[in-house]
Amino acid sequence: MPMPNVTCLTSVRLLSSIFRHHQLLLPSVASVKVPKRTVFQGEYRRPGRPKEDKFPWQKINFNFSKGLQGIKKHFTLLKKEFFERWVGPQGKPLLEHILEQNRVIWEFRGPESLEGWTVSSDREIGGQSEVYLKLGRNNNTCLLYGTMSSTPPRDGETRYSGYCTMRSKQSLASFDRKKHFDWSSFNTLHLRVRGDGRPWMVNIAAESYFSHQKDDIYSYFLYTRGGPYWQDVKIPFSKFFLTHRGRIQDSQHALWLDKINTIGFTLGDKADGPFQLEIDYIGVCKDYAHTEEFAYELYKRNPEV
Amino acid sequence: MKCARCLLQLCRLRLGGRSAPLVRSLPSSHSWLLQHTQSQVLRQFHVSPSCPKTRPVPAEFNEANKQKDKSLATYDDLFEQGAKEAKTKATFNKVVEIFTKASVRRRGHVEFIYAALKKMPEFGVEKDITVYNKLLDVFPKEIFVPRNFIQRMFNHYPRQQECGVQLLEQMENYGIMPNIETKVLLVQIFGKKSHPIRKYERMMYWFPKFKNLNPFPVPQQLPEDPVDLARLSLTRIASDLDAKVTVYQLPCTDISESGQEITLPHVVGIQSPSQMELLAKHNPSRPVFVEGPFPLWLRKTCVSYYILRADPAPADEKKEDPYDPDRCLIYPLQLDLDLECDLGDDESFDVEDLDEGPVYAMCMTSQGDQATLNLWISGLQKSNDILGQVPTLFRLDAGPQELQWVDTDSGHQQQPDSETHKEASQPEVEIEEELTRSRGMKQ
């Protein structure tokens, strides 16, 4: 008689341990702030994880105080938007807007500047890399650090992994409309960074029309020198090439600068160990010496069909 | 394919029907007949019936493999057995050759290539183009080439093509450029417009574009000697062509009088003339810091360096040096033209400047303790007299090197870290100690 009891107990304990394990796992995944994604663009579901059995309306938080906060936030934004127009385009006087030669888009001068960013690593897909974002030594730079690990998750499907990413959040206007950056009067991306010798990748996501283009990203490389000195990097936008989910596309297209959504930095150099990247500011500027429109051939597909 | 299978079954049925009466009449000849007819009849369908479930285990390994159930023997075992003595390129090539010569049909070559790709880093051949070509050579030629437009339209032999693409992808991941031999092989195996050829063309288009992009190139083979490696990395991070590398101590192993071995670490430093100039202007009442170790990555190796720096000077101490008009007599070094600047001529970014204090020198050593770094500072003192009067503080992190624990006395540079979980996972101890270098040592 006691035997089944014991087995029952152990199985219960086993279950509870699994459950606890899950609970331990879940916050670590959830604490990585994921940018707001659309319904179609759900979170990456790892192989083997069951589908979430919930209706879409069950995920919505119908809270009264949250609603009040939302109303306050959105109407403040709307008011700001409305009165900005009186000053000039994008809240700047017209003369300044026309004659602008360079613009600082993101600078890291305080803890609130980190709120517009989100970090993620291959932990989302079951890997072991870690990435953290914090302010630098004097609270006026942003330090992205962590450990890189290219051990693939043991799910039988994933063949390789190992990436760490920092990406800016989609900026939103009132009532959660998308707000885009208009950089069409500039032609160069200007970064002031200090790395540790690892090569990074700069990703720019532009607004697209069709939903199958939502993962289209324009990328280029960012090589860091390492050492105690800051490094001013100028990357012309013409050099950015089109990628989709990590693959270079055959038919390339120049980056259209009128609707830029996000910018991101990715590390995936397969060298296991700690890494760090310190960013002072990210800006755009107009380089008169640079006249190239697109650095890659447009007159044929590569390879040809 | 289906009709072939039907025919095969028919054949078997007929065989069974024919052999049944034979068993009754001639039981002794049964086994021979069955063997004979099977090997004769089924050969027409390009399937060898003699061992329908066994992997083609070559003769060399047959002895070791006798006890095992042969149907479960994988190709990983083939490599394990082949590499009993040493895992080298020679043994890898030998295994591939054995597989190629084992049978004409090369059954299971896709699985073999997948297993070989997985085993390549173990054998140290993952960056060898000849080995990849040899692996491609395992594919049978001209069988997977589509022959008519329907085959061309659909994915002809998808598993084989996928395998070829994966081989090329592994080459891509290790940054190896395919050569003309690869192309010839791929055309022979899969035809001119197949997926592996597409992949090859993509690689040949993009690889040369990105090959020499790095403005701070790292050599493919890093120097073995730690001093050479230190020299290379220091000149890389100094970003100044005038900077001079000085070797303060060469690594050597001595045996002391008491008989124990003493290993002296190497100390290599770098300093540029502008850094020396900055250091000469340093206010002697303010301390300089030795900080480190900081990581520097050269491809897949991580080295660490130490810097000598100072905190930024306070605002009242900062003064701009007036230009010395005698420095250049031909043209003035400073122009005081009152030009009206338009808003459109403003080329500088509207950002607050970061002032982190100057860096005076950098060094690399294999042993980051204070005694070793002291050696560096006293070496620097020969060329920079001011270091004799400036107090030097050591702020060393417990990095990759083992450090002795010293009591900290001031809460300097302990920033509140919100991410406690990071602290817990990676204990970072800041050892900070006022260097009590006596006056006697300085003089």
Side-chain angles (χ1 to χ4, degrees):
Chain A
M1 264 317 280
M3 268 310 283
N5 214 348
V6 165
T7 50
C8 184
L9 253 179
T10 47
S11 68
V12 162
R13 199 167 294 155
L14 215 142
L15 264 180
S16 69
S17 74
I18 287 167
F19 184 62
R20 213 175 296 146
H21 188 67
H22 248 276
Q23 268 192 328
L24 273 179
L25 261 181
L26 275 175
S28 68
V29 173
S31 69
V32 176
K33 279 179 192 164
V34 188
K36 209 162 195 164
R37 300 186 197 203
T38 56
V39 181
F40 307 105
Q41 200 186 353
E43 202 183 332
Y44 173 77
R45 193 164 59 87
R46 287 183 57 194
R49 183 190 275 188
K51 258 189 184 172
E52 207 179 1
D53 195 16
K54 269 183 174 177
F55 290 106
W57 59 85
Q58 282 174 322
K59 293 174 194 162
I60 303 172
N61 178 13
F62 293 102
N63 196 343
F64 184 69
S65 63
K66 187 194 154 217
L68 275 184
Q69 274 171 9
I71 286 171
K72 195 179 160 193
K73 181 185 137 200
H74 290 306
F75 277 93
T76 335
L77 278 175
L78 186 69
K79 187 183 154 196
K80 208 178 118 200
E81 256 173 69
F82 184 76
F83 284 107
E84 260 184 8
R85 295 278 169 88
W86 290 104
V87 183
Q90 292 167 4
K92 273 174 290 186
L94 188 65
L95 195 70
E96 199 180 310
H97 179 78
I98 292 173
L99 293 177
E100 205 174 27
Q101 297 299 301
N102 44 47
R103 191 192 295 167
V104 178
I105 313 289
W106 288 281
E107 56 178 329
F108 299 93
R109 297 285 183 271
E112 68 280 349
S113 58
L114 293 188
E115 278 165 21
W117 293 84
T118 167
V119 293
S120 76
S121 67
D122 63 357
R123 188 154 285 212
E124 279 193 3
I125 62 159
Q128 291 162 17
S129 305
E130 290 170 35
V131 61
Y132 307 103
L133 185 66
K134 70 170 185 184
L135 282 176
R137 182 175 267 184
N138 299 322
N139 273 1
N140 50 15
T141 51
C142 127
L143 178 66
L144 182 69
Y145 66 100
T147 351
M148 183 76 176
S149 161
S150 50
T151 320
R154 300 171 62 89
D155 55 12
E157 285 184 27
T158 317
R159 271 185 285 133
Y160 30 72
S161 96
Y163 66 85
C164 293
T165 300
M166 163 180 168
R167 191 175 187 180
S168 69
K169 281 184 194 165
Q170 169 74 52
S171 52
L172 295 172
S174 58
F175 304 109
D176 286 345
R177 286 172 297 132
K178 270 186 181 177
K179 202 164 79 180
H180 314 288
F181 294 105
D182 184 2
W183 296 346
S184 41
S185 53
F186 309 103
N187 64 4
T188 306
L189 183 74
H190 192 118
L191 308 156
R192 191 148 185 267
V193 295
R194 178 161 66 179
D196 55 355
R198 290 195 187 225
W200 288 72
M201 192 155 230
V202 187
N203 305 312
I204 294 180
E207 179 68 21
S208 56
Y209 187 77
F210 297 106
S211 67
H212 69 261
Q213 293 170 333
K214 64 182 187 295
D215 290 333
D216 280 6
I217 275 181
Y218 293 84
S219 318
Y220 199 67
F221 311 101
L222 167 67
Y223 294 101
T224 58
R225 179 194 280 278
Y229 290 110
W230 285 95
Q231 190 187 335
D232 279 291
V233 186
K234 281 170 89 175
I235 307 174
F237 287 122
S238 65
K239 302 267 184 200
F240 282 80
F241 51 86
L242 175 63
T243 60
H244 181 87
R245 302 197 175 178
R247 304 263 178 202
I248 299 189
Q249 295 303 295
D250 288 347
S251 52
Q252 287 289 323
H253 198 277
L255 170 63
W256 280 351
L257 289 165
D258 56 339
K259 282 181 175 180
I260 299 292
N261 282 336
T262 59
I263 190 169
F265 299 91
T266 307
L267 176 71
D269 65 345
K270 300 192 186 89
D272 293 0
F275 66 89
Q276 63 179 48
L277 178 74
E278 217 172 336
I279 304 174
D280 182 9
Y281 65 83
I282 301 165
V284 282
C285 64
K286 193 185 279 179
D287 186 355
Y288 288 106
H290 188 80
T291 51
E292 189 181 54
E293 280 180 10
F294 194 51
Y296 313 101
E297 278 100 316
L298 288 173
Y299 51 84
K300 66 168 190 180
R301 281 186 65 189
N302 307 297
E304 275 178 278
V305 186
Chain B
M1 194 66 211
K2 201 184 170 188
C3 86
R5 211 171 282 149
C6 281
L7 268 173
L8 198 82
Q9 279 178 347
L10 265 177
C11 266
R12 272 201 189 128
L13 276 176
R14 226 184 323 149
L15 256 176
R18 204 193 295 162
S19 62
L22 274 174
V23 169
R24 263 175 255 135
S25 58
L26 263 174
S28 57
S29 67
H30 165 231
S31 60
W32 170 82
L33 190 79
L34 199 66
Q35 246 182 0
H36 185 71
T37 45
Q38 256 190 359
S39 57
Q40 282 231 320
V41 170
L42 293 183
R43 267 192 174 255
Q44 297 164 1
F45 297 99
H46 287 274
V47 256
S48 111
S50 52
C51 49
K53 287 222 167 162
T54 43
R55 301 283 190 214
V57 180
E60 276 99 311
F61 305 137
N62 256 346
E63 277 76 30
N65 219 14
K66 244 172 200 171
Q67 282 83 19
K68 282 187 194 168
D69 183 6
K70 281 182 183 172
S71 64
L72 288 176
T74 56
Y75 293 108
D76 291 5
D77 296 344
L78 210 68
F79 281 98
E80 291 301 324
Q81 289 161 16
K84 260 173 195 160
E85 317 89 59
K87 292 194 169 180
T88 55
K89 187 182 168 184
T91 48
F92 192 89
N93 282 343
K94 203 180 128 204
V95 173
V96 176
E97 251 167 51
I98 284 168
F99 177 81
T100 325
K101 285 174 186 163
S103 80
V104 200
R105 304 187 186 284
R106 289 187 202 167
R107 160 172 289 202
H109 60 270
V110 172
E111 285 84 0
F112 176 77
I113 287 169
Y114 278 131
L117 285 179
K118 208 184 270 176
K119 288 279 169 189
M120 276 179 113
E122 276 180 38
F123 283 77
V125 289
E126 76 272 18
K127 298 212 167 175
D128 200 332
I129 177 70
T130 53
V131 175
Y132 283 100
N133 285 343
K134 207 169 171 68
L135 263 186
L136 265 184
D137 211 9
V138 170
F139 278 114
K141 312 286 171 315
E142 293 177 11
I143 296 176
F144 308 140
V145 182
R147 285 182 206 163
N148 50 41
F149 74 96
I150 293 175
Q151 287 180 348
R152 210 164 289 131
M153 206 156 62
F154 293 104
N155 208 355
H156 197 50
Y157 280 101
R159 281 193 64 217
Q160 280 78 1
Q161 287 205 36
E162 215 170 88
C163 180
V165 168
Q166 197 154 321
L167 189 139
L168 286 170
E169 194 171 297
Q170 183 158 336
M171 283 173 79
E172 187 189 354
N173 278 342
Y174 285 109
I176 307 155
M177 187 104 149
N179 55 15
I180 191 70
E181 199 184 331
T182 320
K183 186 179 184 180
V184 170
L185 278 168
L186 284 172
V187 169
Q188 272 181 2
I189 299 162
F190 297 110
K192 268 186 201 162
K193 291 274 179 188
S194 55
H195 289 294
I197 281 289
R198 287 282 159 80
K199 177 86 191 167
Y200 166 84
E201 281 171 351
R202 271 175 205 132
M203 282 164 81
M204 291 309 270
Y205 180 75
W206 291 104
F207 263 33
K209 283 202 185 307
F210 299 147
K211 203 173 164 188
N212 299 315
L213 220 53
N214 195 343
F216 321 110
V218 189
Q220 208 45 263
Q221 283 287 323
L222 287 176
E224 293 285 321
D225 184 33
V227 176
D228 285 345
L229 185 66
R231 190 170 281 154
L232 173 85
S233 11
L234 283 174
T235 42
R236 178 188 164 99
I237 61 176
S239 70
D240 191 347
L241 290 177
D242 297 334
K244 223 176 80 197
V245 178
T246 322
V247 180
Y248 295 101
Q249 184 173 295
L250 281 165
C252 56
T253 315
D254 260 352
I255 294 171
S256 68
E257 290 162 11
S258 56
Q260 40 178 249
E261 250 183 41
I262 303 170
T263 314
L264 290 175
H266 66 276
V267 182
V268 184
I270 194 167
Q271 201 180 25
S272 65
S274 57
Q275 283 173 335
M276 284 171 81
E277 204 176 302
L278 274 177
L279 185 54
K281 279 185 205 156
H282 183 80
N283 182 1
S285 63
R286 301 177 61 79
V288 289
F289 303 102
V290 176
E291 288 183 4
F294 299 108
L296 170 73
W297 284 88
L298 304 164
R299 280 186 207 278
K300 303 220 167 158
T301 39
C302 185
V303 291
S304 52
Y305 63 93
Y306 297 82
I307 58 172
L308 178 73
R309 62 175 282 269
D311 274 341
D316 53 325
E317 268 184 35
K318 268 185 208 164
K319 55 177 188 291
E320 286 288 315
D321 277 346
Y323 272 103
D324 186 7
D326 294 340
R327 247 177 72 188
C328 182
L329 297 170
I330 300 159
Y331 54 88
L333 286 173
Q334 201 178 12
L335 273 180
D336 256 338
L337 300 176
D338 196 15
L339 289 174
E340 189 71 32
C341 247
D342 194 9
L343 206 56
D345 297 335
D346 187 15
E347 302 260 303
S348 60
F349 280 89
D350 180 23
V351 204
E352 286 174 59
D353 281 340
L354 281 184
D355 196 3
E356 295 194 315
V359 176
Y360 295 136
M362 287 167 273
C363 100
M364 277 177 70
T365 168
S366 58
Q367 195 180 331
D369 57 359
Q370 201 174 316
T372 318
L373 291 172
N374 231 335
L375 205 85
W376 170 48
I377 298 296
S378 43
L380 270 181
Q381 207 174 312
K382 283 173 197 158
S383 49
N384 303 278
D385 297 331
I386 195 168
L387 275 177
Q389 307 149 28
V390 181
T392 313
L393 262 87
F394 284 78
R395 286 181 188 165
L396 305 176
D397 296 336
Q401 281 85 17
E402 285 292 316
L403 283 185
Q404 66 244 33
W405 288 62
V406 188
D407 286 323
T408 57
D409 49 353
S410 62
H412 201 86
Q413 175 51 37
Q414 285 281 349
Q415 45 204 0
D417 200 343
S418 57
E419 280 144 336
T420 44
H421 54 279
K422 204 262 159 178
E423 294 255 283
S425 65
Q426 199 181 343
E428 208 169 273
V429 188
E430 205 123 330
I431 299 172
E432 192 171 309
E433 199 200 5
E434 176 99 36
L435 178 64
T436 50
R437 284 205 289 149
S438 60
R439 290 276 159 195
M441 188 202 146
K442 278 176 196 162
Q443 281 135 20

